[in-house]
Amino acid sequence: MTKTPFIKARAVSKTYIMGDQEVHALRGIDLDIAQGEFTAIMGPSGSGKSTLMNLIGALDQPTSGHMLIEGHDLSTMRPDDLADLRNRTLGFVFQQFNLLPRANALQNVKLPLRYARHRSIDADARARECLELVGLGMRMDHRPAQLSGGQQQRVAIARALAGNPRIILADEPTGALDTKTSEDIMDLLGRLNASGITIILVTHEPEVADFARRQIHFRDGRIESDTRRPR
Amino acid sequence: MKLSVAIASAIEALFANMLRSFLTMLGIIIGVASVMTMMAMGQGAKARIDAQISALGASTLTMRPGARRRGGRSLGAGAATPFTEADVKVLRSLPFAHLVSGQLNSSVTAVSGQTNWSTSLTGSDESYFAIHDWKPTQGRLFNAREVRSGAALAVVGKSIVKNLFDGMDPIGQRIRINNVPVTVIGVLEEKGQSSFGSDRDDVIIIPLTTARNRIIGAHPTTPKNVSRIELMVADGYDLKQAQNDLGEFMRERRHIKAGADDDFMVFNIADFIRARAATQSTMGVLLAFMAAVALFVGGVGVMNIMLVSVTERTREIGLRMALGARGSDIMVQFLAEALVLCGTGGLIGIIFGFAGAWVAAKTGDWALSISPQITLISLGAAVAVGLFFGFFPARRAARLNPIDALRYE
Ligand SMILES: Nc1ncnc2c1ncn2[C@@H]1O[C@H](COP(=O)(O)OP(=O)(O)OP(=O)(O)O)[C@@H](O)[C@H]1O
Ligand SMILES: [Mg+2]
């Protein structure tokens, strides 16, 4: 079964200039990710995993090469269009959850819907739906400080889901969680993937990576291996 | 993002930092209170001046013999030929003259029973009351026939009733003015203090002829003299124009050669009061200056705290951008915070402004007048400061690069 690739990296390089020193975070990456794939990116610290995630997430631009999402070259898009793309197509899950501390779970999940343009979404209903989906229907008015780490990460996943994204980018989503909680989170991501959402995940833990059918290993800014597990 | 949502979350953000928000608002509060007090004072003073002008006759010209003071030298009124009743009569036929009244004034001692009272006497004709829009509260005024016949009648101000009659009904009572007995026929409505601080109700007004013939005495060379003529300009005539025309007419009538100085003066009371009021507005200027400084300092304070807030919340800004906020959304969010900060400061300032205006009205002795416009302008000043000083921090936030903001430590 071949799917049309809808995330494409072509000769993508990212070089940071630190004083008079150049740090080559990515050295000419070519990568295709098809719709509906569940991909885990692994590799040693500093090998460029987060850098690639930021480029796919339209948060940053490559030094050279092209990053395409659904056929759109990100380097040619205006900042506002990139913001709309992030709002509409992408969902982010961070290692440190990044919830607003003063807002409760429901308000946190509604946050991306504030920025939804040209779409009429009943933000409240949609946010409740997403929280139900991640199993937090009973915790909607809890603030982050009143939730466990795993629950906070589920709120963050609900937030990523709120805008109905086609891609979820999760950079070490289980990095701050224990094994049991990590498994719950991965089960959740697996279910989301089963519903058709493309998931790209960065992790250091092989058990976590095993939830993904495709595993890409990075080393020193290059792809070292790219393997698919049969269904 | 809707503005209402932005404002709601801005209010929340400010409450989260209540003390800091309040301290930041302080400058705005003082500024707005000053703006408001200043404008209320200006309006109150203007209302008072207008009241004074209309009390004295907004369209009245006053004419006296004597040259205008120049070089510290003054020809006293006595040196110039006085006006006469004939002048008054001729002036009445001028097209722009609605009412003309000739008067004589003198300081006198009035006696009723055992009570003495020093007061000022005005001898005038019946037009005087119409020109000054002065009505009796008790009794009546004297008429033209009584002026011609030199009747021994008097109309008195409220202060005379108080000081000479101990507040009792004076109608029909006799008073002796410099030993000449007259009968009180009317009491005039109260006018209060003049802008010069004198009591305008401390007067006795009697017919002109009675005053000249029996109390003050006629001018040695000019019988039927009057010391002053008041002319009320008819509707539809320009006051300034009338002032000039009257001057020209009198120069001709008094045979003053071209180039020679006038030997009389024509005043326009309204001008006189306005000129005096202008010198009183230093207080207003001071307040305006204070308001401007306070608003500026307040604005800089707001800008400073907004910059701090942007820095503190860099990661939050990055998160919002990752979730799809455009630069303009971030801009609106921070502008809303600056606006809420200044708007709240403005509202508190308005409360203090009311207090300030009230104190100013009390000490300045005028009616408290705070129009909705004043309140709106004051609030508008606060909002303008918020927009102006909030713009730079908001733009800085909006221009952050998403990934740099998100990874900011
Ligand atoms: N903003 C930056 N400025 C300078 N160098 C950077 C910056 N971001 C990343 N780098 C460098 O780029 C390289 C790749 O970083 P990246 O964050 O992608 O690593 P990573 O694979 O995600 O590592 P980890 O597993 O520790 O998260 C590293 O050497 C890092 O020091
Ligand atoms: Mg990383």
Side-chain angles (χ1 to χ4, degrees):
Chain A
M1 187 179 104
T2 54
K3 285 172 182 165
T4 44
F6 85 139
I7 300 172
K8 281 195 214 180
R10 289 290 173 269
V12 166
S13 293
K14 182 75 185 180
T15 306
Y16 296 104
I17 313 272
M18 300 282 286
D20 52 355
Q21 204 188 339
E22 289 191 351
V23 179
H24 298 279
L26 293 176
R27 302 165 188 264
I29 299 285
D30 287 298
L31 181 65
D32 286 354
I33 292 176
Q35 193 159 6
E37 272 196 300
F38 192 159
T39 307
I41 297 177
M42 303 188 69
S45 187
S47 56
K49 306 181 295 293
S50 296
T51 305
L52 180 70
M53 291 292 265
N54 296 334
L55 295 178
I56 297 173
L59 293 167
D60 206 357
Q61 294 283 355
T63 312
S64 66
H66 294 274
M67 196 71 234
L68 289 88
I69 293 194
E70 295 183 312
H72 300 291
D73 188 339
L74 301 189
S75 63
T76 63
M77 289 167 73
R78 287 169 302 158
D80 282 356
D81 297 326
L82 292 173
D84 290 351
L85 175 86
R86 291 193 291 267
N87 184 251
R88 186 189 296 253
T89 309
L90 301 168
F92 293 87
V93 180
F94 307 94
Q95 180 176 1
Q96 296 304 333
F97 323 137
N98 280 357
L99 300 173
L100 297 184
R102 283 196 301 275
N104 65 25
L106 188 67
Q107 290 163 337
N108 266 295
V109 175
K110 277 161 77 171
L111 191 58
L113 298 177
R114 271 199 202 175
Y115 305 118
R117 282 163 212 273
H118 320 299
R119 293 194 282 174
S120 57
I121 301 170
D122 180 346
D124 208 68
R126 176 68 189 152
R128 286 173 190 281
E129 194 185 323
C130 292
L131 278 167
E132 299 280 359
L133 194 74
V134 301
L136 283 177
M138 309 298 290
R139 297 280 191 280
M140 297 203 192
D141 51 1
H142 286 222
R143 291 177 175 213
Q146 300 164 326
L147 294 168
S148 72
Q151 287 170 333
Q152 290 185 53
Q153 193 59 299
R154 282 197 261 168
V155 173
I157 292 172
R159 180 179 64 191
L161 283 175
N164 240 326
R166 285 190 287 280
I167 304 166
I168 285 183
L169 299 170
D171 194 345
E172 302 192 43
T174 60
L177 303 175
D178 61 39
T179 316
K180 173 73 185 69
T181 319
S182 298
E183 272 179 32
D184 293 346
I185 294 295
M186 291 313 297
D187 272 333
L188 177 58
L189 289 177
R191 275 191 285 133
L192 296 176
N193 177 243
S195 74
I197 299 175
T198 308
I199 293 180
I200 304 172
L201 154 98
V202 170
T203 184
H204 285 284
E205 301 155 74
E207 313 83 60
V208 168
D210 282 345
F211 280 82
R213 291 228 313 284
R214 182 179 180 186
Q215 294 191 0
I216 298 174
H217 284 260
F218 268 71
R219 184 172 295 278
D220 211 10
R222 290 197 178 87
I223 294 176
E224 187 187 47
S225 70
D226 183 351
T227 55
R228 281 191 177 79
R229 185 159 54 79
R231 203 184 268 266
Chain B
M1 186 164 61
K2 286 206 209 79
L3 192 66
S4 56
V5 177
I7 286 177
S9 57
I11 291 171
E12 219 175 305
L14 296 182
F15 267 99
N17 252 320
M18 198 112 91
L19 181 65
R20 187 167 94 179
S21 303
F22 175 76
L23 291 176
T24 308
M25 277 180 223
L26 218 53
I28 304 291
I29 293 173
I30 295 171
V32 167
S34 312
V35 167
M36 200 152 146
T37 309
M38 172 189 81
M39 287 195 300
M41 274 177 72
Q43 209 163 73
K46 187 180 175 301
R48 193 175 71 153
I49 288 160
D50 288 349
Q52 283 170 0
I53 289 171
S54 72
L56 282 158
S59 54
T60 303
L61 298 172
T62 303
M63 193 158 58
R64 283 215 308 251
R68 247 176 233 284
R69 196 187 289 269
R70 44 167 59 190
R73 207 161 47 85
S74 163
L75 286 163
T81 322
F83 299 121
T84 63
E85 282 185 41
D87 290 326
V88 173
K89 204 168 168 191
V90 168
L91 289 176
R92 277 183 179 143
S93 66
L94 289 178
F96 58 81
H98 174 48
L99 292 167
V100 184
S101 149
Q103 294 151 33
L104 282 169
N105 296 289
S106 178
S107 295
V108 295
T109 304
V111 183
S112 164
Q114 300 300 310
T115 320
N116 282 351
W117 186 247
S118 293
T119 183
S120 65
L121 177 77
T122 296
S124 77
D125 50 45
E126 71 290 349
S127 301
Y128 178 87
F129 302 105
I131 288 174
H132 289 259
D133 188 24
W134 216 355
K135 297 180 184 65
T137 51
Q138 262 177 285
R140 64 177 183 88
L141 307 173
F142 50 76
N143 57 35
R145 196 168 44 76
E146 287 160 343
V147 172
R148 272 198 304 278
S149 67
L153 306 172
V155 176
V156 298
K158 272 269 151 60
S159 300
I160 299 294
V161 178
K162 193 174 115 211
N163 292 305
L164 209 51
F165 296 100
D166 218 4
M168 315 275 271
D169 181 3
I171 305 293
Q173 298 291 315
R174 288 218 154 179
I175 48 179
R176 283 181 296 135
I177 303 169
N178 291 0
N179 275 327
V180 177
V182 295
T183 306
V184 177
I185 58 165
V187 178
L188 292 163
E189 65 188 6
E190 196 167 337
K191 285 219 163 181
Q193 282 202 343
S194 75
S195 57
F196 316 99
S198 64
D199 179 2
R200 284 181 292 175
D201 299 310
D202 190 7
V203 287
I204 298 175
I205 299 165
I206 65 172
L208 177 64
T209 37
T210 318
R212 189 193 301 113
N213 298 342
R214 306 185 56 185
I215 299 172
I216 300 172
H219 190 266
T221 56
T222 317
K224 299 216 166 193
N225 65 313
V226 296
S227 58
R228 168 172 109 127
I229 293 177
E230 287 177 340
L231 183 148
M232 189 181 212
V233 176
D235 279 351
Y237 284 88
D238 181 56
L239 189 65
K240 276 268 177 287
Q241 187 62 46
Q243 190 173 359
N244 275 336
D245 292 353
L246 179 61
E248 275 310 308
F249 181 84
M250 290 310 291
R251 280 173 70 85
E252 215 164 290
R253 188 167 159 77
R254 290 161 81 89
H255 308 296
I256 295 168
K257 290 190 193 75
D261 288 338
D262 290 353
D263 64 352
F264 66 94
M265 296 169 271
V266 182
F267 300 103
N268 167 352
I269 291 286
D271 275 358
F272 199 57
I273 292 175
R274 280 199 196 95
R276 243 174 56 86
T279 64
Q280 288 179 330
S281 65
T282 11
M283 180 74 181
V285 172
L286 209 73
L287 255 155
F289 182 71
M290 182 170 144
V293 169
L295 280 177
F296 182 80
V297 171
V300 170
V302 167
M303 181 153 96
N304 179 45
I305 226 68
M306 291 303 298
L307 284 171
V308 169
S309 172
V310 168
T311 307
E312 277 178 354
R313 288 155 66 194
T314 302
R315 276 172 65 88
E316 180 196 318
I317 295 166
L319 171 73
R320 287 172 186 270
M321 287 176 161
L323 298 182
R326 291 180 174 189
S328 56
D329 292 321
I330 302 297
M331 180 106 187
V332 166
Q333 179 189 343
F334 280 92
L335 268 186
E337 280 183 28
L339 275 185
V340 167
L341 201 58
C342 291
T344 312
L347 288 176
I348 299 173
I350 281 172
I351 297 170
F352 282 104
F354 263 98
W358 184 81
V359 170
K362 275 274 171 250
T363 52
D365 187 34
W366 57 63
L368 180 65
S369 76
I370 293 171
S371 61
Q373 288 99 303
I374 286 184
T375 316
L376 278 180
I377 290 172
S378 308
L379 196 61
V383 168
V385 166
L387 277 178
F388 185 80
F389 288 97
F391 177 78
F392 177 66
R395 196 185 58 171
R396 169 180 277 201
R399 286 188 173 177
L400 283 172
N401 179 10
I403 190 62
D404 292 342
L406 200 53
R407 278 199 307 219
Y408 183 84
E409 294 297 335

